[in-house]
């Protein structure tokens, strides 16, 4: 049975739910959002990822209607939403602070949006009960926001946002205040709810793991610009720039000069060292500066010299023990420090390497991505 | 020293001062009111029997209630504008609002004498506009007392409410908008309920302040618009009826204390983040 992959962005016939067209937002002479073009499709779980201050919240607030673009247009289902005030947009924003109404009970918080629509009492009641059930909050319906825990508050905010079944739900760092374990649980809960309700989610986060876990696609931002928009695996395995590679996960970057023959690439990276080899589909000029990006988990570490495309010797400088894996910092004679990861399949007492051991590191010619910038 | 003991020790000097200079005088004042040879409550019976004294009490209540009501409305609207303005304009507006507080009560009441007098600014203007043919007598009326009192207490209300309104996170009104609330609905459903405790605090301040005021009714109400404060002064300093004055003081204390207690109970009940 063929499984259909959810990838509307690859289908030219698919119409995006949201379109940013050349959107720029300036505060005074500070450019917070710099000429962004972006399509987001219905039923997507879209993550905006980037360092603090890169413009994620601003982008969302423009979608919600709390900020207007200085230049460009935002379309929702093909309609320019520029002139539509926030309360008339089929968009709901869940705030980083949750913004629960402190004077209302959980029940009334969830009913707030429904009441504004003027639905009849029975319909409101049914919908609120449904939301309480979905977010497992039925027991707390009569409490006020200050009488429940942070995780529960977060679920109330979610229930309140979902109650009106918005076309688009914006979540601004919704899990920021939760501790790690609760955050992971909630991530799966969010994905589950997103699947059940079919709502399009746009989530802001500065936690790359979170983005990778929940998102159908991730946009990596920097200083108001989109650096890359792609699926989580593509962002991780085929980053388009050193910035993205470095931002998502751990990476070793080796700078060198390119010598390309077809898809094979030789990289001169240090005096008196054999060139490193990699494969690429991009074209590099002879002698062009390039950057080899290799994830630590793709570098093998061994006591004896292995055979392979890229083999280097070094000395263990540091070991970061993370429980399930260890990251070895290996110092090469050239001064480069390369991180190599190994799963800790044995107990500590029987581990192979320790500080100052001479070791070999190696990776295949397809393990690295070569980037021009 | 236990933390409890230390807290007591730290507050001892203040407690001592309050006991000596507030507690004792109030108690001894109250004590004199019960010393009448005709029985402990004779003074109070006389007070509540006297048409004149009751008129003064009701007038004072009325002026205080009207002043409070107008101050709440005017103060809330002004505070809203101040709280919503950009930071730089905000501090200018707050200074403007507080400025009258920096001049004395007497000076501010005198200003109203100049405005409301027979040949005052207001009468001159109305005559010049042809709206009236002869000067109105506005001084020494309940109107003149109330208007001066409102002027006196609005800044207090503004200051109280600006703090309260600023403490309502913008997120909340935005969340309301995002959930489909029009600006008016967001105001009614979110801002107003959250401002209730502040409104109560402000009202208590203005009510007790105007109920017990002396200088303004003295200058703008005179003998004709006697209020509890001026009445008390007259009894004590003009007729030297100390027991009568103490009785008036006792009635004032009871009214203000009752207001404070009832309102703080109400505030607790209406507190948005309570039970
Ligand atoms: N109302 C505003 N006035 C001025 N500058 C703002 C305003 N809102 C955001 N900014 C600036 O725009 C940049 C992006 O902010 P924001 O979108 O909140 O970033 P992020 O959510 O990615 O951390 C920041 O440098 C911030 O200081
Ligand atoms: Mg933000």
């Amino acid at each position: 049975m063929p499984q259909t992959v959810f990838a509307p962005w690859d289908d030219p016939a698919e119409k995006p739910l949201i379109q940013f067209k050349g959107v720029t937002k300036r505060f005074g002479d500070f450019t917070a959002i710099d000429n962004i073009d972006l399509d987001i499709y219905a039923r997507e779980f879209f993550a905006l990822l980037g360092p603090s201050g890169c413009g994620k919240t601003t982008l969302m607030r423009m979608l919600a209607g709390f900020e207007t673009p200085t230049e460009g247009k935002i379309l929702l289902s093909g309609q320019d939403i520029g002139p539509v005030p926030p309360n008339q947009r089929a968009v709901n924003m869940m705030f980083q602070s949750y913004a629960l109404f402190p004077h209302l009970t959980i029940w009334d918080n969830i009913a707030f949006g429904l009441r504004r629509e003027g639905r009849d009492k029975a319909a409101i009641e049914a919908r609120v009960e449904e939301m309480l059930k979905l977010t497992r909050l039925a027991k707390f319906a009569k409490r006020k926001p200050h009488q429940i825990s942070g995780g529960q508050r977060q679920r109330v905010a979610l229930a309140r946002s979902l109650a009106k079944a918005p076309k688009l739900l914006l979540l601004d760092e919704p899990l920021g205040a939760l501790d790690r374990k609760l955050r992971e649980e909630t991530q799966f809960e969010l994905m589950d709810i997103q699947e059940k309700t079919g709502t399009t989610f746009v989530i802001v986060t500065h936690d790359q793991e979170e983005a990778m876990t929940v998102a159908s696609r991730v946009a990596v931002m920097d200083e108001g610009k989109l650096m890359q928009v792609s699926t989580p695996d593509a962002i991780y395995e085929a980053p388009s720039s050193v910035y993205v590679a470095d931002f998502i996960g751990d990476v070793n970057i080796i700078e060198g000069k390119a010598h390309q023959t077809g898809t094979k690439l030789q990289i001169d990276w240090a005096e008196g060292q054999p060139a490193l080899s990699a494969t690429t589909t991009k074209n590099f000029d002879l002698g062009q500066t390039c950057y080899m990006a290799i994830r630590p988990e793709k570098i093998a570490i061994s006591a004896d010299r292995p055979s392979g495309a890229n083999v280097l010797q070094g000395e263990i400088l540091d070991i970061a023990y993370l429980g399930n894996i260890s990251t070895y910092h290996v110092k090469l004679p050239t001064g480069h420090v390369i991180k190599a990861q190994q799963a800790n399949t044995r107990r500590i007492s029987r581990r192979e390497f320790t500080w100052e051991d001479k070791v070999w590191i190696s990776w295949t010619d397809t393990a690295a991505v070569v980037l021009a910038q | 020293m236990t933390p409890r003991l230390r807290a007591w020790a730290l507050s001892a000097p203040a407690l001592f001062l309050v006991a000596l200079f507030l507690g004792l005088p109030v108690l001894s004042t109250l004590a004199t009111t019960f010393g009448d040879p005709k029985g402990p409550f004779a003074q109070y019976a006389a007070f509540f029997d006297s048409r004149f004294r009751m008129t003064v009490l009701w007038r004072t209540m009325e002026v205080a209630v009207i002043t409070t009501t107008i101050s709440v409305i005017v103060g809330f609207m002004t505070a809203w504008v101040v709280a919503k303005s950009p930071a730089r304009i905000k501090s200018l507006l707050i200074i403007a609002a507080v400025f009258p507080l920096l001049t004395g009560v007497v000076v501010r009441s005198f200003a109203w004498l100049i405005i409301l007098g027979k040949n005052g600014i207001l009468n001159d203007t109305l005559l010049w506009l042809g709206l009236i043919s002869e000067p109105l007598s506005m001084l020494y009326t309940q109107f003149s007392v109330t208007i001066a009192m409102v002027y006196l207490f609005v800044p207090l209300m503004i200051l109280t409410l600006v703090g309260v309104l600023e403490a309502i996170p913008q997120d909340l009104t935005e969340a309301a908008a995002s959930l489909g609330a029009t600006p008016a609905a967001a105001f009614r459903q979110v801002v107003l309920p959250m401002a209730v405790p502040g409104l109560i605090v402000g009202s208590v301040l203005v009510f007790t302040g105007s109920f017990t005021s002396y200088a303004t009714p003295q200058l703008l109400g005179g003998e004709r618009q006697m209020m509890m404060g001026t009445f008390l002064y007259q009894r004590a300093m003009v007729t030297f009826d100390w027991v009568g004055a103490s009785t008036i003081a006792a009635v004032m204390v009871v009214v203000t204390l009752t207001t404070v207690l009832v309102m703080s109970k109400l505030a607790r009940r209406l507190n948005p983040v309570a039970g």
Side-chain angles (χ1 to χ4, degrees), chain A residues 35-223:
Chain A
N35 192 19
I36 277 185
D37 289 296
L38 176 63
D39 290 347
I40 300 173
Y41 294 85
R43 307 183 71 92
E44 258 203 272
F45 202 137
F46 193 91
L48 289 170
L49 186 58
S52 184
C54 71
K56 306 178 298 289
T57 298
T58 306
L59 203 64
M60 281 222 161
R61 290 176 58 81
M62 287 196 287
L63 273 176
F66 301 129
E67 307 281 1
T68 40
T70 316
E71 281 161 29
K73 268 195 284 197
I74 303 173
L75 310 184
L76 181 69
S77 319
Q79 299 257 301
D80 184 358
I81 51 171
V84 184
N87 57 316
Q88 283 163 29
R89 294 190 183 189
V91 175
N92 199 285
M93 177 145 167
M94 181 178 146
F95 289 76
Q96 192 167 359
S97 61
Y98 308 148
L100 299 181
F101 304 124
H103 59 296
L104 299 179
T105 61
I106 304 313
W107 207 98
D108 289 327
N109 261 283
I110 297 173
F112 189 92
L114 302 168
R115 291 201 171 121
R116 301 285 85 67
E117 273 181 340
R119 292 200 206 177
D120 67 82
K121 230 174 152 188
I124 292 176
E125 241 160 64
R127 183 67 180 162
V128 173
E129 296 302 331
E130 192 184 336
M131 286 299 118
L132 284 169
K133 208 149 155 213
L134 181 73
T135 49
R136 295 184 281 117
L137 284 166
K139 269 191 290 187
F140 309 103
K142 291 214 172 58
R143 301 219 192 149
K144 290 220 174 149
H146 72 281
Q147 295 163 323
I148 57 176
S149 75
Q152 289 159 351
R153 261 176 241 162
Q154 182 268 337
R155 296 213 297 271
V156 176
L158 189 63
R160 188 179 68 175
S161 301
L162 285 169
K164 283 180 71 173
K167 265 194 207 166
L168 174 63
L169 182 60
L170 307 172
L171 306 127
D172 193 357
E173 307 207 19
L175 314 182
L178 306 186
D179 59 56
R180 191 186 170 84
K181 207 163 158 52
L182 191 56
R183 194 161 70 217
E184 282 170 3
E185 272 174 38
T186 316
Q187 283 166 4
F188 287 106
E189 221 168 277
L190 272 183
M191 292 160 71
D192 196 40
I193 288 173
Q194 195 257 352
E195 223 153 85
K196 274 188 200 150
T197 58
T199 312
T200 308
F201 279 25
V202 176
I203 188 172
V204 162
T205 172
H206 61 238
D207 175 352
Q208 44 112 355
E209 263 179 52
E210 185 169 295
M212 306 294 274
T213 309
V214 299
S216 58
R217 282 193 305 158
V218 176
V220 180
M221 291 180 68
D222 185 34
E223 295 184 350

Side-chain angles (χ1 to χ4, degrees), chain A residues 208 220 235-236 239-253 293 295 339 371:
Chain A
Q208 44 112 355
V220 180
I235 294 254
Y236 189 77
S240 64
S241 62
V242 172
Y243 176 84
V244 173
D246 200 27
F247 192 79
I248 308 279
D250 231 351
V251 72
N252 295 293
I253 304 285
R295 301 285 180 195
K339 284 177 267 184
L371 303 163

Side-chain angles (χ1 to χ4, degrees), chain A residues 254-270 273-280 282 284-292 308-310 364-365 370:
Chain A
I254 301 173
E255 187 181 336
K257 303 279 180 214
H259 283 266
Q260 193 167 16
T261 30
T263 59
K264 297 261 179 250
L265 205 56
Q266 294 293 311
I267 299 162
D268 291 326
W269 63 286
Q273 293 283 339
L276 298 173
S277 51
T279 57
T280 184
K282 286 179 269 207
F284 290 91
D285 297 335
L286 186 65
Q288 185 187 336
T289 301
C290 63
Y291 305 87
M292 195 179 204
N310 301 293
T364 65
D365 57 355
V370 184

Side-chain angles (χ1 to χ4, degrees), chain B residues 108-118 120 139-140 219-220:
Chain B
R108 279 186 286 164
S109 300
F110 261 118
W112 284 101
L113 282 179
I114 297 168
I115 295 170
L116 299 175
K118 266 263 164 4
L139 278 183
Y140 313 115
L219 288 167
L220 292 159

